[in-house]
PDB file of all heavy atoms in Angstrom:
ATOM      1  N   THR T   1     172.660  95.310  74.580  1.00  0.00           N
ATOM      2  CA  THR T   1     171.204  95.208  74.443  1.00  0.00           C
ATOM      3  C   THR T   1     170.792  95.238  72.977  1.00  0.00           C
ATOM      4  O   THR T   1     169.997  94.399  72.523  1.00  0.00           O
ATOM      5  CB  THR T   1     170.522  96.354  75.207  1.00  0.00           C
ATOM      6  OG1 THR T   1     170.825  96.240  76.604  1.00  0.00           O
ATOM      7  CG2 THR T   1     169.019  96.302  75.017  1.00  0.00           C
ATOM      8  N   VAL T   2     171.322  96.197  72.232  1.00  0.00           N
ATOM      9  CA  VAL T   2     170.988  96.290  70.809  1.00  0.00           C
ATOM     10  C   VAL T   2     171.419  95.025  70.069  1.00  0.00           C
ATOM     11  O   VAL T   2     170.645  94.424  69.306  1.00  0.00           O
ATOM     12  CB  VAL T   2     171.634  97.539  70.180  1.00  0.00           C
ATOM     13  CG1 VAL T   2     171.432  97.546  68.672  1.00  0.00           C
ATOM     14  CG2 VAL T   2     171.071  98.809  70.802  1.00  0.00           C
ATOM     15  N   ALA T   3     172.669  94.606  70.303  1.00  0.00           N
ATOM     16  CA  ALA T   3     173.182  93.420  69.616  1.00  0.00           C
ATOM     17  C   ALA T   3     172.448  92.163  70.065  1.00  0.00           C
ATOM     18  O   ALA T   3     172.077  91.311  69.241  1.00  0.00           O
ATOM     19  CB  ALA T   3     174.681  93.278  69.873  1.00  0.00           C
ATOM     20  N   GLY T   4     172.225  92.019  71.374  1.00  0.00           N
ATOM     21  CA  GLY T   4     171.597  90.813  71.899  1.00  0.00           C
ATOM     22  C   GLY T   4     170.152  90.654  71.464  1.00  0.00           C
ATOM     23  O   GLY T   4     169.731  89.548  71.093  1.00  0.00           O
ATOM     24  N   VAL T   5     169.389  91.736  71.502  1.00  0.00           N
ATOM     25  CA  VAL T   5     167.986  91.664  71.065  1.00  0.00           C
ATOM     26  C   VAL T   5     167.922  91.361  69.570  1.00  0.00           C
ATOM     27  O   VAL T   5     167.110  90.540  69.125  1.00  0.00           O
ATOM     28  CB  VAL T   5     167.254  92.977  71.404  1.00  0.00           C
ATOM     29  CG1 VAL T   5     165.870  92.989  70.763  1.00  0.00           C
ATOM     30  CG2 VAL T   5     167.148  93.140  72.911  1.00  0.00           C
ATOM     31  N   THR T   6     168.778  92.013  68.795  1.00  0.00           N
ATOM     32  CA  THR T   6     168.787  91.766  67.348  1.00  0.00           C
ATOM     33  C   THR T   6     169.106  90.310  67.032  1.00  0.00           C
ATOM     34  O   THR T   6     168.406  89.661  66.247  1.00  0.00           O
ATOM     35  CB  THR T   6     169.818  92.687  66.664  1.00  0.00           C
ATOM     36  OG1 THR T   6     169.484  94.046  66.929  1.00  0.00           O
ATOM     37  CG2 THR T   6     169.830  92.447  65.162  1.00  0.00           C
ATOM     38  N   VAL T   7     170.157  89.797  67.660  1.00  0.00           N
ATOM     39  CA  VAL T   7     170.558  88.412  67.398  1.00  0.00           C
ATOM     40  C   VAL T   7     169.506  87.436  67.925  1.00  0.00           C
ATOM     41  O   VAL T   7     169.138  86.466  67.244  1.00  0.00           O
ATOM     42  CB  VAL T   7     171.931  88.117  68.032  1.00  0.00           C
ATOM     43  CG1 VAL T   7     172.267  86.625  67.954  1.00  0.00           C
ATOM     44  CG2 VAL T   7     173.011  88.930  67.341  1.00  0.00           C
ATOM     45  N   GLY T   8     169.016  87.676  69.137  1.00  0.00           N
ATOM     46  CA  GLY T   8     168.040  86.768  69.728  1.00  0.00           C
ATOM     47  C   GLY T   8     166.758  86.659  68.919  1.00  0.00           C
ATOM     48  O   GLY T   8     166.252  85.558  68.671  1.00  0.00           O
ATOM     49  N   LEU T   9     166.222  87.802  68.479  1.00  0.00           N
ATOM     50  CA  LEU T   9     165.006  87.772  67.665  1.00  0.00           C
ATOM     51  C   LEU T   9     165.279  87.167  66.289  1.00  0.00           C
ATOM     52  O   LEU T   9     164.446  86.439  65.753  1.00  0.00           O
ATOM     53  CB  LEU T   9     164.442  89.184  67.534  1.00  0.00           C
ATOM     54  CG  LEU T   9     163.967  89.855  68.829  1.00  0.00           C
ATOM     55  CD1 LEU T   9     163.386  91.231  68.530  1.00  0.00           C
ATOM     56  CD2 LEU T   9     162.930  88.995  69.548  1.00  0.00           C
ATOM     57  N   SER T  10     166.443  87.471  65.732  1.00  0.00           N
ATOM     58  CA  SER T  10     166.786  86.914  64.419  1.00  0.00           C
ATOM     59  C   SER T  10     166.922  85.398  64.489  1.00  0.00           C
ATOM     60  O   SER T  10     166.556  84.687  63.545  1.00  0.00           O
ATOM     61  CB  SER T  10     168.088  87.531  63.900  1.00  0.00           C
ATOM     62  OG  SER T  10     167.953  88.925  63.740  1.00  0.00           O
ATOM     63  N   MET T  11     167.444  84.903  65.589  1.00  0.00           N
ATOM     64  CA  MET T  11     167.569  83.452  65.762  1.00  0.00           C
ATOM     65  C   MET T  11     166.213  82.755  65.736  1.00  0.00           C
ATOM     66  O   MET T  11     166.109  81.602  65.304  1.00  0.00           O
ATOM     67  CB  MET T  11     168.278  83.131  67.076  1.00  0.00           C
ATOM     68  CG  MET T  11     169.767  83.421  67.077  1.00  0.00           C
ATOM     69  SD  MET T  11     170.511  83.198  68.731  1.00  0.00           S
ATOM     70  CE  MET T  11     170.243  81.426  68.970  1.00  0.00           C
ATOM     71  N   SER T  12     165.177  83.457  66.167  1.00  0.00           N
ATOM     72  CA  SER T  12     163.852  82.838  66.253  1.00  0.00           C
ATOM     73  C   SER T  12     163.163  82.739  64.899  1.00  0.00           C
ATOM     74  O   SER T  12     162.239  81.936  64.733  1.00  0.00           O
ATOM     75  CB  SER T  12     162.965  83.634  67.211  1.00  0.00           C
ATOM     76  OG  SER T  12     162.637  84.911  66.665  1.00  0.00           O
ATOM     77  N   ILE T  13     163.604  83.542  63.923  1.00  0.00           N
ATOM     78  CA  ILE T  13     162.908  83.539  62.631  1.00  0.00           C
ATOM     79  C   ILE T  13     163.809  83.181  61.455  1.00  0.00           C
ATOM     80  O   ILE T  13     163.292  82.874  60.363  1.00  0.00           O
ATOM     81  CB  ILE T  13     162.251  84.912  62.356  1.00  0.00           C
ATOM     82  CG1 ILE T  13     163.305  86.022  62.314  1.00  0.00           C
ATOM     83  CG2 ILE T  13     161.184  85.217  63.392  1.00  0.00           C
ATOM     84  CD1 ILE T  13     162.734  87.374  61.918  1.00  0.00           C
ATOM     85  N   LEU T  14     165.125  83.196  61.658  1.00  0.00           N
ATOM     86  CA  LEU T  14     166.059  82.903  60.566  1.00  0.00           C
ATOM     87  C   LEU T  14     166.906  81.689  60.938  1.00  0.00           C
ATOM     88  O   LEU T  14     167.786  81.780  61.810  1.00  0.00           O
ATOM     89  CB  LEU T  14     166.960  84.111  60.287  1.00  0.00           C
ATOM     90  CG  LEU T  14     166.259  85.390  59.812  1.00  0.00           C
ATOM     91  CD1 LEU T  14     167.259  86.535  59.713  1.00  0.00           C
ATOM     92  CD2 LEU T  14     165.560  85.165  58.475  1.00  0.00           C
ATOM     93  N   PRO T  15     166.688  80.549  60.294  1.00  0.00           N
ATOM     94  CA  PRO T  15     167.446  79.337  60.639  1.00  0.00           C
ATOM     95  C   PRO T  15     168.951  79.500  60.500  1.00  0.00           C
ATOM     96  O   PRO T  15     169.711  78.937  61.293  1.00  0.00           O
ATOM     97  CB  PRO T  15     166.904  78.299  59.634  1.00  0.00           C
ATOM     98  CG  PRO T  15     165.539  78.795  59.278  1.00  0.00           C
ATOM     99  CD  PRO T  15     165.631  80.284  59.303  1.00  0.00           C
ATOM    100  N   VAL T  16     169.402  80.277  59.510  1.00  0.00           N
ATOM    101  CA  VAL T  16     170.839  80.418  59.316  1.00  0.00           C
ATOM    102  C   VAL T  16     171.480  81.176  60.482  1.00  0.00           C
ATOM    103  O   VAL T  16     172.616  80.857  60.902  1.00  0.00           O
ATOM    104  CB  VAL T  16     171.128  81.127  57.969  1.00  0.00           C
ATOM    105  CG1 VAL T  16     170.632  82.573  57.987  1.00  0.00           C
ATOM    106  CG2 VAL T  16     172.622  81.093  57.650  1.00  0.00           C
ATOM    107  N   VAL T  17     170.776  82.150  61.032  1.00  0.00           N
ATOM    108  CA  VAL T  17     171.287  82.882  62.197  1.00  0.00           C
ATOM    109  C   VAL T  17     171.322  81.960  63.413  1.00  0.00           C
ATOM    110  O   VAL T  17     172.297  81.958  64.186  1.00  0.00           O
ATOM    111  CB  VAL T  17     170.420  84.123  62.488  1.00  0.00           C
ATOM    112  CG1 VAL T  17     170.912  84.849  63.739  1.00  0.00           C
ATOM    113  CG2 VAL T  17     170.436  85.071  61.293  1.00  0.00           C
ATOM    114  N   ARG T  18     170.262  81.168  63.576  1.00  0.00           N
ATOM    115  CA  ARG T  18     170.230  80.218  64.687  1.00  0.00           C
ATOM    116  C   ARG T  18     171.340  79.183  64.540  1.00  0.00           C
ATOM    117  O   ARG T  18     172.000  78.828  65.529  1.00  0.00           O
ATOM    118  CB  ARG T  18     168.871  79.527  64.735  1.00  0.00           C
ATOM    119  CG  ARG T  18     168.709  78.572  65.898  1.00  0.00           C
ATOM    120  CD  ARG T  18     167.255  78.187  66.098  1.00  0.00           C
ATOM    121  NE  ARG T  18     166.667  77.578  64.917  1.00  0.00           N
ATOM    122  CZ  ARG T  18     165.763  78.161  64.131  1.00  0.00           C
ATOM    123  NH1 ARG T  18     165.360  79.387  64.385  1.00  0.00           N
ATOM    124  NH2 ARG T  18     165.271  77.535  63.077  1.00  0.00           N
ATOM    125  N   TRP T  19     171.575  78.701  63.342  1.00  0.00           N
ATOM    126  CA  TRP T  19     172.635  77.719  63.097  1.00  0.00           C
ATOM    127  C   TRP T  19     174.011  78.279  63.470  1.00  0.00           C
ATOM    128  O   TRP T  19     174.847  77.573  64.033  1.00  0.00           O
ATOM    129  CB  TRP T  19     172.617  77.323  61.624  1.00  0.00           C
ATOM    130  CG  TRP T  19     173.850  76.599  61.170  1.00  0.00           C
ATOM    131  CD1 TRP T  19     174.140  75.281  61.331  1.00  0.00           C
ATOM    132  CD2 TRP T  19     174.980  77.180  60.498  1.00  0.00           C
ATOM    133  NE1 TRP T  19     175.376  74.989  60.811  1.00  0.00           N
ATOM    134  CE2 TRP T  19     175.924  76.130  60.290  1.00  0.00           C
ATOM    135  CE3 TRP T  19     175.296  78.462  60.050  1.00  0.00           C
ATOM    136  CZ2 TRP T  19     177.147  76.349  59.656  1.00  0.00           C
ATOM    137  CZ3 TRP T  19     176.510  78.676  59.421  1.00  0.00           C
ATOM    138  CH2 TRP T  19     177.421  77.632  59.221  1.00  0.00           C
ATOM    139  N   PHE T  20     174.229  79.571  63.189  1.00  0.00           N
ATOM    140  CA  PHE T  20     175.543  80.175  63.451  1.00  0.00           C
ATOM    141  C   PHE T  20     175.742  80.488  64.931  1.00  0.00           C
ATOM    142  O   PHE T  20     176.798  80.190  65.510  1.00  0.00           O
ATOM    143  CB  PHE T  20     175.703  81.443  62.615  1.00  0.00           C
ATOM    144  CG  PHE T  20     177.031  82.121  62.790  1.00  0.00           C
ATOM    145  CD1 PHE T  20     178.148  81.655  62.115  1.00  0.00           C
ATOM    146  CD2 PHE T  20     177.175  83.210  63.639  1.00  0.00           C
ATOM    147  CE1 PHE T  20     179.388  82.274  62.275  1.00  0.00           C
ATOM    148  CE2 PHE T  20     178.404  83.835  63.803  1.00  0.00           C
ATOM    149  CZ  PHE T  20     179.516  83.356  63.121  1.00  0.00           C
ATOM    150  N   PHE T  21     174.740  81.100  65.563  1.00  0.00           N
ATOM    151  CA  PHE T  21     174.930  81.613  66.917  1.00  0.00           C
ATOM    152  C   PHE T  21     174.634  80.596  68.011  1.00  0.00           C
ATOM    153  O   PHE T  21     175.182  80.723  69.122  1.00  0.00           O
ATOM    154  CB  PHE T  21     174.052  82.854  67.143  1.00  0.00           C
ATOM    155  CG  PHE T  21     174.634  84.111  66.580  1.00  0.00           C
ATOM    156  CD1 PHE T  21     174.198  84.615  65.366  1.00  0.00           C
ATOM    157  CD2 PHE T  21     175.618  84.805  67.265  1.00  0.00           C
ATOM    158  CE1 PHE T  21     174.742  85.773  64.837  1.00  0.00           C
ATOM    159  CE2 PHE T  21     176.161  85.971  66.756  1.00  0.00           C
ATOM    160  CZ  PHE T  21     175.720  86.456  65.535  1.00  0.00           C
ATOM    161  N   ASP T  22     173.799  79.617  67.764  1.00  0.00           N
ATOM    162  CA  ASP T  22     173.402  78.693  68.827  1.00  0.00           C
ATOM    163  C   ASP T  22     174.597  77.984  69.469  1.00  0.00           C
ATOM    164  O   ASP T  22     174.741  77.984  70.705  1.00  0.00           O
ATOM    165  CB  ASP T  22     172.391  77.677  68.300  1.00  0.00           C
ATOM    166  CG  ASP T  22     171.717  76.908  69.433  1.00  0.00           C
ATOM    167  OD1 ASP T  22     171.461  77.519  70.485  1.00  0.00           O
ATOM    168  OD2 ASP T  22     171.469  75.703  69.268  1.00  0.00           O
ATOM    169  N   PRO T  23     175.505  77.379  68.690  1.00  0.00           N
ATOM    170  CA  PRO T  23     176.669  76.736  69.347  1.00  0.00           C
ATOM    171  C   PRO T  23     177.609  77.742  70.002  1.00  0.00           C
ATOM    172  O   PRO T  23     178.213  77.435  71.045  1.00  0.00           O
ATOM    173  CB  PRO T  23     177.352  75.998  68.191  1.00  0.00           C
ATOM    174  CG  PRO T  23     176.892  76.674  66.957  1.00  0.00           C
ATOM    175  CD  PRO T  23     175.506  77.145  67.239  1.00  0.00           C
ATOM    176  N   LEU T  24     177.728  78.945  69.435  1.00  0.00           N
ATOM    177  CA  LEU T  24     178.608  79.952  70.037  1.00  0.00           C
ATOM    178  C   LEU T  24     178.078  80.398  71.395  1.00  0.00           C
ATOM    179  O   LEU T  24     178.848  80.559  72.351  1.00  0.00           O
ATOM    180  CB  LEU T  24     178.732  81.159  69.106  1.00  0.00           C
ATOM    181  CG  LEU T  24     179.374  80.907  67.726  1.00  0.00           C
ATOM    182  CD1 LEU T  24     179.392  82.195  66.912  1.00  0.00           C
ATOM    183  CD2 LEU T  24     180.781  80.346  67.891  1.00  0.00           C
ATOM    184  N   ILE T  25     176.776  80.570  71.480  1.00  0.00           N
ATOM    185  CA  ILE T  25     176.172  80.981  72.745  1.00  0.00           C
ATOM    186  C   ILE T  25     176.242  79.847  73.762  1.00  0.00           C
ATOM    187  O   ILE T  25     176.489  80.072  74.954  1.00  0.00           O
ATOM    188  CB  ILE T  25     174.720  81.437  72.512  1.00  0.00           C
ATOM    189  CG1 ILE T  25     174.720  82.742  71.709  1.00  0.00           C
ATOM    190  CG2 ILE T  25     173.992  81.631  73.834  1.00  0.00           C
ATOM    191  CD1 ILE T  25     173.356  83.204  71.294  1.00  0.00           C
ATOM    192  N   SER T  26     176.047  78.616  73.303  1.00  0.00           N
ATOM    193  CA  SER T  26     176.123  77.469  74.207  1.00  0.00           C
ATOM    194  C   SER T  26     177.497  77.351  74.840  1.00  0.00           C
ATOM    195  O   SER T  26     177.634  76.980  76.014  1.00  0.00           O
ATOM    196  CB  SER T  26     175.791  76.177  73.437  1.00  0.00           C
ATOM    197  OG  SER T  26     174.479  76.225  72.923  1.00  0.00           O
ATOM    198  N   VAL T  27     178.537  77.668  74.072  1.00  0.00           N
ATOM    199  CA  VAL T  27     179.904  77.616  74.600  1.00  0.00           C
ATOM    200  C   VAL T  27     180.233  78.865  75.402  1.00  0.00           C
ATOM    201  O   VAL T  27     180.850  78.800  76.471  1.00  0.00           O
ATOM    202  CB  VAL T  27     180.914  77.433  73.448  1.00  0.00           C
ATOM    203  CG1 VAL T  27     182.345  77.571  73.972  1.00  0.00           C
ATOM    204  CG2 VAL T  27     180.719  76.096  72.769  1.00  0.00           C
ATOM    205  N   GLY T  28     179.798  80.032  74.913  1.00  0.00           N
ATOM    206  CA  GLY T  28     180.193  81.298  75.528  1.00  0.00           C
ATOM    207  C   GLY T  28     179.453  81.631  76.806  1.00  0.00           C
ATOM    208  O   GLY T  28     180.020  82.281  77.693  1.00  0.00           O
ATOM    209  N   PHE T  29     178.184  81.210  76.940  1.00  0.00           N
ATOM    210  CA  PHE T  29     177.392  81.594  78.102  1.00  0.00           C
ATOM    211  C   PHE T  29     178.035  81.135  79.415  1.00  0.00           C
ATOM    212  O   PHE T  29     178.215  81.943  80.339  1.00  0.00           O
ATOM    213  CB  PHE T  29     175.970  81.035  77.981  1.00  0.00           C
ATOM    214  CG  PHE T  29     174.965  81.802  78.780  1.00  0.00           C
ATOM    215  CD1 PHE T  29     173.689  82.031  78.298  1.00  0.00           C
ATOM    216  CD2 PHE T  29     175.272  82.301  80.050  1.00  0.00           C
ATOM    217  CE1 PHE T  29     172.759  82.743  79.039  1.00  0.00           C
ATOM    218  CE2 PHE T  29     174.351  83.009  80.795  1.00  0.00           C
ATOM    219  CZ  PHE T  29     173.095  83.217  80.286  1.00  0.00           C
TER     220      PHE T  29
END
């Protein structure tokens, strides 16, 4: 929960975080 909320909210406001995690989540989900 702590990690997911932090990453999810960061993805919405920081393009570099979204660039890094978006493909990983697309593959991992």
Side-chain angles (χ1 to χ4, degrees):
T1 297
V2 173
V5 171
T6 301
V7 171
L9 296 182
S10 299
M11 287 173 64
S12 69
I13 60 175
L14 297 174
V16 66
V17 177
R18 183 166 58 251
W19 165 81
F20 181 80
F21 279 100
D22 193 37
L24 297 179
I25 292 174
S26 298
V27 172
F29 204 142

